[in-house]
């Protein structure tokens, strides 16, 4: 098990949690939250890791169809539950998720990962963090297509397909929906695939490991900081955040492979439940803004104290969700739709 990589997934999820809580704090108190925007970087870490995981999963001889099934079993159940929970909440408290636009069309587009406008005209689903899943699902589809080719050509095929989708999004930028896919962040999946192909091949891994993992991490952090100072408004997310994320993830993997560590219970648990944390944290934030923020009286110390409270509640909810919803739902679908050959199952995380 790549323990540090799993811990990094948890770290990335809680960067997003802190980002969104910082937005709530700023909206309700007018306090300045330093470097809050960097919480977005958690998404970039997620995307690079996703590319690595898909290369690893596909290496277990899964068929393209089984690969897609495993991704659906992993991603869809909790996402649908969370989306429908917002639909229900909107029926009683429409102001609670103000940006969510609930109509028959947006419900269907959200459930089936099709970009559609929300209440403020942004291409976000009813559960707004699901915009990343709209991109993830396109990546999964492209990766499944690449699996029809020779294994040696899989990563180049993925890179080519991602480039084609990106080019179409740019070429048809006048179309609001198609332009959603003209996002350079797609190349973070590609970067993860390249990295995955390096770490799963011994000679390439040996070349990659000539540098210390800490050197990669330091280079990624230095580039991230430099980009924030010198390219604060640069709109190419892959260059601004994707390349630093790729370097940091590379360093974490090199450390994992060269200096394995025993799983650290709490931190690994946060990584395991990171998907639940990502999807469900906005429910926690909405509740905390209603119930906890008024108790703080607007004081700076009170606001600061809300951060560990939000993290703690999110961690508890996510752990329960992972154990009681994510894993049981995935296992149920696997039992209900078993592969034709047991050995072909891709055990995905």
């Amino acid at each position: 098990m790549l323990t540090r990589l799993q811990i990094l997934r948890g770290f990335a999820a809680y960067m997003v949690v802190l980002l969104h809580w910082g937005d709530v704090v700023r909206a309700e108190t007018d306090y300045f939250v330093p470097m809050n925007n960097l919480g977005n970087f958690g998404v970039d870490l997620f995307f690079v890791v996703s590319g690595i995981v898909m290369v690893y999963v596909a290496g277990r001889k899964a068929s393209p169809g089984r690969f897609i099934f495993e991704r659906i079993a992993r991603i869809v159940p909790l996402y649908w539950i969370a989306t429908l929970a917002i639909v229900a909440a909107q029926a009683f408290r429409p102001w609670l998720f103000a940006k969510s636009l609930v109509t028959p069309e947006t419900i269907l587009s959200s459930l089936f990962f099709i970009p559609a406008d929300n209440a403020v005209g942004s291409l976000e689903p009813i559960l707004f963090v699901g915009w990343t899943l709209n991109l993830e699902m396109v990546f999964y589809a492209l990766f499944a297509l690449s699996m029809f080719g020779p294994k040696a050509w899989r990563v180049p095929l993925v890179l080519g397909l991602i480039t084609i989708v990106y080019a179409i999004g740019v070429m048809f930028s006048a179309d609001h929906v198609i332009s959603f896919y003209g996002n350079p962040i797609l190349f973070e999946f590609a970067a993860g695939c390249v990295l995955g192909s390096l770490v799963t091949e011994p000679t390439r891994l040996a070349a990659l490991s000539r540098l210390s993992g800490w050197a990669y991490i330091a280079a990624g952090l230095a580039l991230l900081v430099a980009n924030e100072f010198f390219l604060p408004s640069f709109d190419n997310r892959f260059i601004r955040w994707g390349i630093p994320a790729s370097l940091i993830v590379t360093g974490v993997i090199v450390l994992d492979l060269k200096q394995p560590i025993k799983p650290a219970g709490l931190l690994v648990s946060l990584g395991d439940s990171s998907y639940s944390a990502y999807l469900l944290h906005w429910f926690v934030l909405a509740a905390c803004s209603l119930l906890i923020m008024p108790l703080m009286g607007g004081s700076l110390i009170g606001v600061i104290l809300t951060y560990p409270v939000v993290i703690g509640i999110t961690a508890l909810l996510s752990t329960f969700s992972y154990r009681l919803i994510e894993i049981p739902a995935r296992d149920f679908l696997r039992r209900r739709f078993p592969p034709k050959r047991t050995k072909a199952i891709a055990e995905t995380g």
Side-chain angles (χ1 to χ4, degrees):
M1 177 181 181
L2 299 177
T3 303
R4 291 185 182 88
L5 189 64
Q6 192 69 351
I7 292 172
L8 182 66
R9 291 175 70 173
F11 180 75
Y14 285 92
M15 286 182 70
V16 177
V17 175
L18 292 176
L19 161 73
H20 292 148
W21 184 243
D23 290 340
V24 171
V25 168
R26 186 168 49 194
E28 297 194 7
T29 68
D30 291 328
Y31 281 122
F32 173 70
V33 183
M35 305 297 286
N36 190 60
N37 191 47
L38 273 179
N40 282 301
F41 186 63
V43 171
D44 305 273
L45 291 171
F46 263 127
F47 279 13
V48 175
V49 172
S50 183
I52 296 169
V53 171
M54 293 311 104
V55 171
Y56 177 72
V57 167
R60 296 180 177 180
K61 300 182 180 178
S63 67
R66 193 65 195 179
F67 170 83
I68 287 294
F69 171 82
E70 291 289 339
R71 301 325 302 161
I72 289 173
R74 180 71 177 87
I75 297 297
V76 168
L78 183 62
Y79 180 64
W80 279 17
I81 290 171
T83 297
L84 294 176
I86 293 183
V87 172
Q90 287 291 78
F92 300 98
R93 297 288 187 273
W95 45 265
L96 195 56
F97 300 95
K99 292 199 303 181
S100 298
L101 177 63
V102 176
T103 67
E105 293 78 10
T106 59
I107 292 173
L108 287 174
S109 63
S110 293
L111 294 179
F112 292 98
F113 306 98
I114 301 169
D117 284 329
N118 63 8
V120 295
S122 298
L123 285 172
E124 293 177 348
I126 289 171
L127 178 58
F128 80 99
V129 295
W131 72 269
T132 62
L133 297 183
N134 291 348
L135 293 173
E136 284 267 7
M137 283 300 182
V138 168
F139 168 57
Y140 296 155
L142 298 180
F143 198 97
L145 285 175
S146 77
M147 294 174 69
F148 286 101
K151 184 176 180 180
W153 284 90
R154 186 168 295 161
V155 172
L157 283 171
V158 170
L159 299 184
L161 290 169
I162 287 175
T163 302
I164 290 171
V165 170
Y166 171 75
I168 291 173
V170 172
M171 289 171 58
F172 293 91
S173 58
D175 186 292
H176 191 42
V177 174
I178 296 177
S179 66
F180 175 79
Y181 300 105
N183 189 334
I185 200 172
L186 282 170
F187 290 101
E188 295 176 1
F189 294 121
C193 289
V194 172
L195 183 53
S197 70
L198 294 178
V199 300
T200 53
E201 206 284 319
T203 57
R204 294 172 180 171
L205 176 61
L208 197 67
S209 300
R210 289 174 185 170
L211 283 178
S212 162
W214 292 112
Y216 288 109
I217 293 172
L221 291 173
L223 185 58
L224 177 65
V225 172
N227 286 346
E228 289 307 292
F229 274 105
F230 298 110
L231 301 172
S233 301
F234 194 58
D235 63 357
N236 189 312
R237 186 158 177 165
F238 175 70
I239 292 175
R240 183 179 174 186
W241 286 340
I243 294 175
S246 301
L247 287 169
I248 291 170
V249 172
T250 300
V252 169
I253 291 178
V254 169
L255 287 174
D256 262 333
L257 295 175
K258 292 176 70 174
Q259 303 168 14
I261 60 173
K262 293 181 180 180
L266 175 61
L267 294 178
V268 172
S269 177
L270 293 178
D272 291 341
S273 60
S274 58
Y275 180 59
S276 283
Y278 182 73
L279 287 190
L280 302 181
H281 74 272
W282 195 248
F283 294 92
V284 175
L285 304 192
C288 288
S289 69
L290 291 174
L291 303 176
I292 295 178
M293 284 294 281
L295 300 177
M296 299 299 103
S299 69
L300 179 58
I301 294 177
V303 167
I304 292 172
L305 291 175
T306 62
Y307 278 83
V309 172
V310 165
I311 293 293
I313 296 174
T314 302
L316 284 174
L317 175 63
S318 302
T319 300
F320 282 117
S321 169
Y322 176 70
R323 294 178 179 176
L324 301 179
I325 300 177
E326 282 193 60
I327 299 304
R330 183 196 65 184
D331 291 347
F332 169 79
L333 290 172
R334 284 177 172 174
R335 291 192 302 270
R336 182 67 180 82
F337 303 99
K340 292 181 180 179
R341 299 176 62 185
T342 303
K343 292 182 180 179
I345 292 180
E347 295 291 340
T348 58

